[in-house]
Amino acid sequence: MQHKSLGEEPCPIARGLEHVGEWWSILILRDALDGRRRFDEFQRNLPIAPNMLTRRLSALVDAGLLERRRYNEHPARYEYVPTEAGIDFQPVIAAMFSWGRKHYGPNPLRSLFVYRATGAEAEPVVIDAVTRLPITALDFGFARNPDWDEVG
Amino acid sequence: MQHKSLGEEPCPIARGLEHVGEWWSILILRDALDGRRRFDEFQRNLPIAPNMLTRRLSALVDAGLLERRRYNEHPARYEYVPTEAGIDFQPVIAAMFSWGRKHYGPNPLRSLFVYRATGAEAEPVVIDAVTRLPITALDFGFARNPDWDEVG
DNA sequence: CCGTATCCTCCACGATACTG
DNA sequence: CAGTATCGTGGAGGATACGG
């Protein structure tokens, strides 16, 4: 993102976007979370130019989402494995999948859940793992509160 | 996105990204879902140039995420309200908030849930609203399956 | 006051050639 | 096979002036 000042925005969404906002980042993350590790695995699965793949992988490493790990000495070979921050990105991917599936999927009228559940259309929700209560973006007051550290 | 062929990718994530992949789109959506409706409301809350705001709002309308609704005749005034597809985007926003909060927030060590729940750190998960079971991106096989319509 | 039109900059992305 | 180097382009994003 060129508007670097957004990285200093108080909103966690804006801050997070700073690291995954580029087009390919999320798709690479998707593949990494799907078990892909190596350069050519990514490239086989994505219509991306090799230099772009290099750049995005480096950026994701710098952002702390992927770890570059040497798996062979001679010749030097690396694999890219999700860090904790990368793994934590899974719920975002899952939510995006569900949303994209419903509204822009090959068959927009049916969601993936149809095949896995009751046959009724289902809405994904994000729930708090502690309270087990559903939370919504609106609950956050995320775009309103200037101080994200204030305790209610 | 310039790589228009990605809009024809089978993966719902890639397809969805086509509509919200631009930097400002998600932040505008965030504000819209937070109750903002009007041009100047958005602009007051975001460090965005007015022409960009116009462009992104139009794009979101074209993508079917926002509806442009006239609320005044003379002079002509419009407001932008989330469609169903826009509202359905909330889980993505929520997941992004949680993720950004944990890893890139002003206080990266604590998540918002801390303040709302037990005091323990919590991980958000996406659950299927029908089965009430947690789902993960890996469950989808999303990056692997060429045919998203196949029924198991 | 609520936007739109114009013009410019810069970088994400693409194509291709090359190297150990 | 696993990348890097070089060059080019379109469009996202920015600054600012204008219009209803």
Side-chain angles (χ1 to χ4, degrees):
Chain A
M1 318 281 73
Q2 35 209 110
H3 203 296
K4 43 277 287 201
S5 67
L6 280 179
E8 293 131 30
E9 286 275 311
C11 174
I13 296 173
R15 283 165 164 268
L17 234 24
E18 194 75 16
H19 300 98
V20 294
E22 282 76 34
W23 170 249
W24 289 112
S25 302
I26 288 182
L27 295 180
I28 291 172
L29 233 21
R30 175 201 70 180
D31 282 2
L33 291 170
D34 198 38
R36 288 170 227 270
R37 300 278 111 113
R38 303 184 180 178
F39 195 91
D40 71 315
E41 288 186 284
F42 292 114
Q43 203 178 3
R44 257 198 301 275
N45 199 52
L46 291 168
I48 186 177
N51 56 347
M52 279 308 306
L53 183 53
T54 297
R55 272 197 243 172
R56 296 271 68 83
L57 284 173
S58 304
L60 288 170
V61 168
D62 291 348
L65 294 171
L66 256 30
E67 186 197 337
R68 188 187 211 228
R69 188 179 293 166
R70 174 174 235 140
Y71 71 88
N72 197 8
E73 287 302 330
H74 300 294
R77 292 288 178 262
Y78 302 93
E79 56 188 3
Y80 302 87
V81 357
T83 61
E84 191 197 346
I87 292 169
D88 286 346
F89 196 70
Q90 269 212 13
V92 179
I93 300 267
M96 289 234 314
F97 179 94
S98 173
W99 175 77
R101 170 81 188 179
K102 179 177 179 191
H103 294 284
Y104 303 104
N107 187 346
L109 294 180
R110 302 193 292 176
S111 92
L112 186 68
F113 304 121
V114 171
Y115 310 121
R116 308 182 77 234
T118 66
E121 194 73 20
E123 292 302 314
V125 295
V126 177
I127 62 160
D128 185 316
V130 169
T131 64
R132 284 280 144 187
L133 295 174
I135 55 176
T136 71
L138 293 185
D139 285 338
F140 294 148
F142 54 77
R144 193 171 283 137
N145 192 340
D147 182 5
W148 302 99
D149 286 323
E150 84 176 346
V151 180
Chain B
M1 319 278 70
Q2 35 208 110
H3 204 297
K4 44 278 286 203
S5 67
L6 280 179
E8 292 131 31
E9 286 275 310
C11 174
I13 295 174
R15 283 166 165 268
L17 235 24
E18 194 75 15
H19 300 97
V20 295
E22 282 75 34
W23 169 249
W24 289 113
S25 302
I26 289 182
L27 295 180
I28 290 171
L29 233 21
R30 176 201 68 181
D31 282 1
L33 290 170
D34 197 38
R36 287 173 227 269
R37 301 276 111 111
R38 303 184 180 177
F39 195 92
D40 72 316
E41 288 186 285
F42 292 114
Q43 202 178 4
R44 257 198 302 275
N45 199 52
L46 292 168
I48 185 177
N51 57 347
M52 278 308 307
L53 183 52
T54 297
R55 271 196 245 172
R56 297 271 67 84
L57 284 173
S58 303
L60 288 170
V61 168
D62 290 349
L65 294 172
L66 256 29
E67 186 197 337
R68 189 188 211 225
R69 188 179 293 167
R70 174 174 234 138
Y71 72 89
N72 197 8
E73 287 302 330
H74 302 292
R77 293 288 179 264
Y78 302 94
E79 57 188 3
Y80 302 87
V81 356
T83 61
E84 192 197 345
I87 291 169
D88 286 347
F89 196 69
Q90 269 211 14
V92 179
I93 299 268
M96 289 234 315
F97 179 94
S98 173
W99 175 76
R101 170 81 186 179
K102 179 176 178 191
H103 294 284
Y104 303 105
N107 187 346
L109 294 180
R110 303 192 292 175
S111 93
L112 184 69
F113 303 121
V114 172
Y115 309 121
R116 309 183 75 236
T118 66
E121 195 74 18
E123 292 302 314
V125 296
V126 177
I127 61 160
D128 185 317
V130 169
T131 64
R132 283 282 144 185
L133 295 173
I135 55 176
T136 71
L138 293 185
D139 284 339
F140 295 146
F142 53 79
R144 193 169 282 138
N145 193 340
D147 182 5
W148 301 99
D149 285 323
E150 83 175 348
V151 180

